Amino acid sequence: MRRVDPLLGTCALDTLRQRRSMKWRTYPADVLPAFVAEMDFDLAQPVIDAVTRALALGDSGYGHLGVLGEVFAGFAAGRLGWAPDPARVFAIPDVMSGLAEVVQALTPPGAGVVINPPVYPPFWFRFGFSGRRIVEAPLAVDSGGRYQLDPDALDRALAEPGVRAYLLCSPHNPTGSVWTREQLHTVADLCLRHDVALVVDEIHAPLVLAGAEYVPFLSIDHEMTARAFAFTSASKGWNIAGLKCGLVVSGSAAGDKLLAGRWEAFLPGHLGVLASVAAFTDGLPWLDAVRAQLDENRWLLRRLLAEQLPGARYQPPQASFLAWIDCRELGLDGDPAATFLERGRVALSPGGDFGRQGDGFARLNMGTSPGLLAEAVRRMAAATR
Ligand SMILES: Cc1ncc(COP(=O)(O)O)c(C=O)c1O
């Protein structure tokens, strides 16, 4: 196997086990963690420099947007084919709390929020904290095994009484699907017809992989963009979730007003802002090294599963580092992730956490070296014997 790009470090297990994040502290040391969405690579040097410089200065106060709007707009123009107005970009502590805040502002208590299962587990419970309820529009699987938006299911869900918002995950976690411009237009038409607000979680967009064309929702030519908010972050792309900074971009002056009115009660982490600025400006060579590694890993995983777990079904993702594996033909009882953990000592995310559509599936984190990815599959295979 090829060595990891020097920009990404070596992913040495003894060094990784010194980390104290959720990934490395949830399970005992004999378990290989491949669950929560943290990557194993060394951080981008510009990010390390920005944070250490701030700490050396005692610069650890409240977050200030600074040039974040401008540098994100520059990144979006260069990499995502989209030129948002920097004045429309607001910093938030993280994507989930930003989504919750905006959904709360846009909908009355008791309102329905549509999601597309199987989907990122907090989508299921986060909006319930403020008394909103979830309405399901499940994804469909096409003949090639790729998950797609199902316009009929979406139409039905948006028509349900009391539905006031739709949360689209783009690119989609855990399926790795990247939606086409045509699909986004269909979504926009349906939201407009049903008079429903649209919030789009684009957190995995920096990690779109070779061969997929990613379209930011607010870049499409459609009047629904004026009623939409796009959420993103450097937290997945550059592995800095713990620094607490996300971004929300509004699609209209009314949206700007809604966000501006919340700004002082809703500050991002200061170190997160500084790290995000460094990532969006000087972190592109590192990002490209990660994308190249993930591209290699997604095909390597296909080979390893075919060799060692031939009953597993997996469609390489079009974006990011999450592999959604159908384990229903492996002949395991109950939750496959529980079997992998108990008998193989490797921790994946249980598919059922993503909705009942995920029963019999498991999500594997591929944001690591080829060597550790191979070790994860070896442990999964051992668990099934
Ligand atoms: C689709 C999606 N949205 C949101 C998040 C969480 O982002 P944040 O930590 O900024 O809330 C994740 C984390 O993996 C995610 O996959």
Side-chain angles (χ1 to χ4, degrees):
M1 272 172 224
R2 194 172 66 77
R3 282 189 57 237
V4 178
D5 189 305
L7 281 179
L8 307 183
T10 59
C11 296
L13 203 47
D14 53 349
T15 309
L16 288 168
R17 290 209 186 279
Q18 293 174 42
R19 293 186 179 179
R20 285 161 291 179
S21 61
M22 186 188 291
K23 182 171 185 181
W24 295 97
R25 282 294 181 263
T26 298
Y27 294 104
D30 67 325
V31 170
L32 182 66
F35 66 113
V36 67
E38 301 177 18
M39 295 192 286
D40 291 348
F41 308 123
D42 286 355
L43 291 182
Q45 194 59 46
V47 167
I48 298 174
D49 292 344
V51 173
T52 48
R53 201 178 312 126
L55 291 176
L57 282 171
D59 185 11
S60 53
Y62 291 112
H64 182 272
L65 182 67
V67 293
L68 185 58
E70 283 78 9
V71 302
F72 173 71
F75 170 77
R79 289 302 180 105
L80 309 178
W82 173 41
D85 178 350
R88 292 253 146 103
V89 180
F90 293 77
I92 49 179
D94 54 59
V95 164
M96 275 321 297
S97 53
L99 280 166
E101 183 79 15
V102 169
V103 165
Q104 207 172 323
L106 293 172
T107 65
V113 179
V114 172
I115 61 172
N116 300 120
V119 75
Y120 181 55
F123 283 17
W124 288 96
F125 59 82
R126 186 64 170 82
F127 307 100
F129 297 166
S130 61
R132 275 65 177 172
R133 65 198 159 78
I134 290 302
V135 176
E136 300 178 30
L139 297 179
V141 182
D142 69 18
S143 55
R146 180 150 320 282
Y147 283 82
Q148 300 292 354
L149 291 167
D150 178 345
D152 294 330
L154 186 54
D155 193 20
R156 276 193 302 276
L158 293 172
E160 280 201 20
V163 165
R164 301 298 297 275
Y166 171 35
L167 167 52
L168 173 68
C169 192
S170 171
H172 188 268
N173 170 7
T175 66
S177 291
V178 169
W179 312 124
T180 63
R181 186 177 299 277
E182 195 187 347
Q183 285 172 312
L184 296 181
H185 273 269
T186 302
V187 161
D189 288 344
L190 288 169
C191 288
L192 200 61
R193 173 148 27 102
H194 291 286
D195 190 24
V196 160
L198 178 60
V199 285
V200 190
D201 179 342
E202 301 185 338
I203 195 169
H204 291 280
L207 291 172
V208 169
L209 303 178
E213 195 206 338
Y214 166 73
V215 181
F217 183 81
L218 291 181
S219 75
I220 71 170
D221 184 13
H222 196 288
E223 63 182 290
M224 190 61 208
T225 56
R227 290 195 54 192
F229 293 84
F231 294 78
T232 191
S233 178
S235 69
K236 295 296 127 192
W238 285 267
N239 204 32
I240 51 174
L243 297 181
K244 288 291 170 197
C245 174
L247 295 162
V248 51
V249 188
S250 102
S252 66
D256 297 346
K257 206 164 151 223
L258 181 153
L259 296 172
R262 281 159 173 75
W263 163 249
E264 278 194 35
F266 205 40
L267 296 176
H270 179 50
L271 296 178
V273 175
L274 301 177
S276 301
V277 168
F280 289 130
T281 47
D282 300 325
L284 302 191
W286 186 92
L287 182 71
D288 288 339
V290 169
R291 291 171 59 243
Q293 187 61 61
L294 299 181
D295 188 23
E296 178 183 330
N297 288 3
R298 64 180 167 158
W299 302 110
L300 171 65
L301 179 62
R302 187 159 82 167
R303 205 165 64 240
L304 293 170
L305 290 175
E307 287 164 9
Q308 298 176 46
L309 279 162
R313 299 271 168 275
Y314 151 78
Q315 180 68 244
Q318 295 175 294
S320 209
F321 50 86
L322 305 167
W324 183 238
I325 304 174
D326 182 350
C327 303
R328 289 174 295 180
E329 288 174 25
L330 291 180
L332 307 174
D333 285 335
D335 169 22
T339 302
F340 296 141
L341 178 60
E342 281 156 29
R343 294 169 42 185
R345 311 309 285 162
V346 56
L348 281 73
S349 304
D353 291 357
F354 297 77
R356 65 179 184 284
Q357 297 81 358
D359 286 343
F361 288 69
R363 193 190 73 176
L364 175 73
N365 180 339
M366 297 187 285
T368 189
S369 64
L372 287 183
L373 181 59
E375 175 61 15
V377 176
R378 194 192 64 71
R379 290 176 182 228
M380 289 165 66
T384 64
R385 283 196 284 273

